[in-house]
Amino acid sequence: MSSHRTTSDRRAPILVTGGAGFIGSNFVLEWLAAGKGPLVNLDKLTYAGNPENLASVEANSDYAFVQGDICDAALVARLMEEHRPRAVVHFAAESHVDRSILGPEAFLRTNIDGTFTLLQAARTYYGSLEGEEREGFRFLHVSTDEVYGTLAPEDPAFREETPYAPNSPYAASKAASDHLVRAWVHTYGLPAMITNCSNNYGPYQFPEKLIPLMIAHALKGKNLPVYGDGQQVRDWLYVVDHCRALMTVLERGRVGETYNVGGGNQRSNLEVVTTLCGLLDELVPESRFRPHFELVKFVEDRPGHDRRYAIDARKLESELGWRAQESFETGLRKTLEWYLGNAAWVEHVTSGSYQHWVKQNYDARTAAAVVAESAR
Ligand code: NAD
Ligand code: TYD
């Protein structure tokens, strides 16, 4: 890519961090499919980053991949200098709550230090811009609804004004990163925006998260480990709907604002697993593990487990005209069909160190047999 762009050059790239992860790779694919222009993807390729997700765009001249760490200040500064991005879309993070409980250090490093490093580089770079390039520059920070803490059953859904009350090391590290972004807007005038979204699901999600883990286990006839009583509620958002929301905010969002993104699909974990088992019974009729629901095993709960998340996305809907297009039922069916059609992908990502993670997270959990009976 040229480093000699003029201010009127509409083909300036965007710089995406963490684009080889679940949401990031869906975003990269959607962006390039929509012909939105060049994109540079900076990703460290941790266990969660998988270049295989982006094999279909490797040869696309609008796509460039850089393997590297967002905590590497010199690298991040050099990338901004060289590529002169018109925006930064920041996905890179350690993202799994259970991992944050067993080892919080990496979360503080990437989610807090990494965001700080990126903000500093963006600030210096923004300071060097003039005219249209300066006016158009945006920094979009992708965050989570988990920063708002937990809701009781009758509480209203999270709004952008809901006070922060993170409960897990993951949520605390993301909350800290949101606060840094906010401060860089107010103190240094960085034109940043924040999105806080609910639980995503869809293609390319690493099978450590609820839905792909249950699919991977069910297909092998392994136990489906439901934490506690399975009555925790999440608000499910199809990943492509989320990517569309991010593009909308990037194009039309107001600088300094936060936008909540949610699918409007509140479901208990047990409901999710039950629906998924029914779909598996239907789509894999030859399975010897039917009915798949019999594989459910209630196991010891996650410490500090948030009871309920729900997003009020009315600001994004009324201000920017975004709407989730996928219902939970259609999105889940698409997701399962994708996993069934991509068994090789699942095999690759679940070999090696993944097995170690499953042992570490699940072997120590004692079966919650009493809860299981009462919850059925
Ligand atoms: P993911 O774990 O699937 O992917 C994270 C990506 O970041 C990986 O490709 C990884 O290699 C990369 N990465 C990690 N540390 C890095 C570092 N130091 N430098 C460069 N790259 C690094 O995560 P995801 O589910 O795609 O989530 C993306 C973003 O969205 C995260 O910021 C997460 O907090 C947020 N989010 C996710 C969800 C969800 O349901 N998955 C919900 C709300 C918010
Ligand atoms: P997860 O996908 O880890 O997302 P998050 O913790 O960010 O919401 O978990 C979603 C819900 O599913 C959460 O309430 C924990 C629960 N869960 C299980 O019951 N069993 C599991 O094996 C996993 C991974 C999650």
Side-chain angles (χ1 to χ4, degrees), residues 18 20-24 43-46 48-49 68-70 91-93 95 110 142-144 170 174 197-200 205 209:
F22 162 48
I23 305 174
D43 198 298
K44 186 179 173 183
L45 298 183
T46 67
D69 193 328
I70 56 165
F91 295 97
S95 69
T110 287
V142 181
S143 192
T144 170
Y170 163 65
K174 290 296 289 188
C197 71
S198 55
N199 286 64
N200 283 222
Q205 188 167 30
K209 305 278 170 70

Side-chain angles (χ1 to χ4, degrees), residues 17-25 42-50 68-71 90-96 106 109-111 114 141-146 170 174 195-201 204-206 208-209 236-237 242:
T17 70
F22 162 48
I23 305 174
S25 43
L42 169 64
D43 198 298
K44 186 179 173 183
L45 298 183
T46 67
Y47 77 93
N50 186 356
D69 193 328
I70 56 165
C71 299
H90 177 32
F91 295 97
E94 289 291 337
S95 69
H96 187 33
R109 187 179 173 279
T110 287
N111 300 0
H141 177 62
V142 181
S143 192
T144 170
D145 58 0
E146 304 194 25
Y170 163 65
K174 290 296 289 188
T195 53
N196 294 89
C197 71
S198 55
N199 286 64
N200 283 222
Y201 68 104
Y204 301 108
Q205 188 167 30
F206 193 72
E208 63 183 356
K209 305 278 170 70
W236 294 94
L237 172 65
H242 181 204

